[in-house]
Amino acid sequence: MKSICFYFQVHQPYRLRTYRFFDIGAKHNYFDEHENEFIMQRVAEKSYLPMNAMLLKLIKEYGSAFKVSFSISGMALEQLENYAPDVIKSFKKLADTGNVEFLTETYAHSLASLRSKSEFERQVTKQSDKIEKLFGYKPTTFRNTELIYSDAIGKMVADMGFKLMLTEGAKHVLGWRSPNFMYNSANRPELKLLLKNYRLSDDIAFRFSNRSWSGYPLTADKFVTWLDELDKKDEVINLFMDYETFGEHQWSETGIFDFMKALPGQILKSGKYNFAKPSELGEKLQPVGAIHVPYPISWADEERDVTAWLGNDLQDEAFGKLYAMEETIKNCTDPYLLKVWSYLQTSDHFYYMCTKWFSDGDVHKYFNPYGTPYEAFINYMNVLNDFMIQVEKCAQSPENEMQELKSEAEAVTKKAVKIARKKVDVASGKIKKQVQKTRDVSLDDLKNMSDAAIKKLVKEIDIETLAIALKNAEKELVDKIIPNLGVRVNKQFQELQSQVSKFNKTEIKKYQRIVETKLKSFLK
């Protein structure tokens, strides 16, 4: 009997506020609290709370036959505690069933495993302690940020005492072999590896609502048929995905909740499969072979490597300067600065600087606060520049050493501007459009935009956000936008407009700010 292993990743970063060059040395509040609270509450309402309620109901219905697993980053846990405590309570209810396993990872959802063994171990220990405090037990299974794995990382994980780790079933690593077995690390055989079946996982996570996909529409019956078509010798099918898949990346209207509600019953009815937690599979299954991974792999984009976060000049410059501070930060005892140190390591900051195109780019662009990678780089480096100055004061390092750091920081900022100007000039010849963010805008500015510009803008904004933002808007403004939506989207817009009466003025204003933020990148 084959095992089905569901694993869900829960993560939200602390997003930076707009931090300009002239803020350096004057302002030390780096994070956009309003935006972080708004996004976390939105995702909690649309995804986490309804999905947790559904899983709890499914567990009550099927008992020990249905099981799932989670990894919740420290960044997400902190924000849930502050902005959406009901989600924490719902996760505790799931934990109490015994049918849910919580894995550990890096606390900051960071790339520390690629740079610093000591920082990596510090974050993993902190995350394990956090999970134990909230849910009552110490995690025994490890999942690295974005499923990043290599032989070197496997050694670090094994050295920390873990016996099981999750990673990507990358085709260029496996070759002819199937991801539907247990494997082990080539240089540390005692570390077992569960590999993601990326085709079946991504059918749910990315392709579910894609009407041009040959598998559309995806139903529970059809998915079980695909499971039945797998090789009879396969032992485990690992379905790993972002938890935001349910309700946020794939809206409720797509039928994603109905699909998930029906899936466990259809799988169990066949009598060919059971559900298992990762730790149970670690005890049950023996490796069929070792995998050798000299270069890091991940679950991102088609390459399944780490070039989503590291590789271009912007990312390498920012990443290098951040970790150059590691030894200095160890001499600092200021709780706020130590917290910022963790927050700045979150992988999302480097993802925003990526300049290549992704097959799943629309999903990751969804919560990206920047118009271009170059804006993300400049903003991050401005923050890092000021952070270095604050660390100097805290650590009381030798003046000449810190002066060198300050000089490097100033040079980095100048280089940031130079790189951004050059890149954006090549791309559009309109540098002011990319870096000038100081002028205030409002929805009224849409009246003066061309139809072509409005069509481009609305493609960058989900229709629900637009419908709420334009609730009670002037007729002239609505009449300007509607002809540029297209027939299908216009119909959806009209339906949503009739449903948004439940939103009060404060909530509508939040959605208007989202549209206005997007609008900035379209104004000259």
Side-chain angles (χ1 to χ4, degrees), residues 199-393:
R199 182 179 66 81
L200 291 173
S201 298
D202 292 353
D203 284 343
I204 300 174
F206 297 122
R207 291 183 281 272
F208 183 83
S209 60
N210 183 356
R211 292 177 179 270
S212 64
W213 172 42
S214 61
Y216 182 87
L218 180 56
T219 63
D221 288 342
K222 183 184 293 185
F223 196 82
V224 173
T225 299
W226 292 347
L227 293 177
D228 292 342
E229 292 172 354
L230 296 173
D231 194 310
K232 294 181 180 181
K233 296 179 181 179
D234 290 349
E235 296 179 336
V236 58
I237 299 96
N238 297 309
L239 303 175
F240 300 167
M241 63 199 72
D242 288 333
Y243 202 36
E244 295 82 10
T245 293
F246 304 94
E248 186 58 54
H249 297 161
Q250 307 290 347
W251 286 14
S252 176
E253 291 80 0
T254 66
I256 190 70
F257 286 110
D258 295 331
F259 168 80
M260 191 61 195
K261 181 180 179 180
L263 186 60
Q266 290 298 322
I267 290 176
L268 293 172
K269 185 173 67 174
S270 72
K272 303 174 184 178
Y273 312 95
N274 60 50
F275 290 93
K277 296 181 289 186
S279 59
E280 293 175 335
L281 295 172
E283 296 176 359
K284 172 186 174 182
L285 300 180
Q286 294 304 313
V288 297
I291 59 171
H292 176 48
V293 188
Y295 304 106
I297 59 174
S298 77
W299 69 356
D301 63 66
E302 293 183 357
E303 289 84 359
R304 299 298 197 266
D305 58 16
V306 296
T307 54
W309 305 274
L310 299 175
N312 68 37
D313 291 341
L314 310 178
Q315 295 165 321
D316 293 345
E317 186 77 32
F319 190 71
K321 291 302 178 183
L322 175 67
Y323 280 95
M325 299 181 62
E326 183 180 0
E327 291 305 314
T328 306
I329 200 71
K330 290 178 181 178
N331 297 321
C332 180
T333 57
D334 185 310
Y336 174 71
L337 293 179
L338 293 175
K339 183 167 64 175
V340 172
W341 165 244
S342 288
Y343 291 2
L344 290 180
Q345 293 183 63
T346 301
S347 63
D348 302 67
H349 300 306
F350 305 99
Y351 198 107
Y352 299 149
M353 302 176 198
C354 187
T355 53
K356 72 174 187 175
W357 176 252
F358 297 96
S359 60
D360 56 346
D362 287 343
V363 172
H364 293 276
K365 190 177 181 181
Y366 204 87
F367 292 130
N368 189 338
Y370 303 101
T372 70
Y374 318 110
E375 293 167 17
F377 176 58
I378 292 173
N379 202 65
Y380 184 86
M381 296 310 295
N382 284 341
V383 169
L384 189 59
N385 194 335
D386 185 80
F387 180 62
M388 292 169 71
I389 296 173
Q390 302 315 307
V391 170
E392 169 198 0
K393 297 176 182 178

Side-chain angles (χ1 to χ4, degrees), residues 54-65:
M54 178 190 293
L55 291 181
L56 186 61
K57 187 175 181 180
L58 289 170
I59 289 172
K60 290 180 180 179
E61 181 177 355
Y62 297 110
S64 60

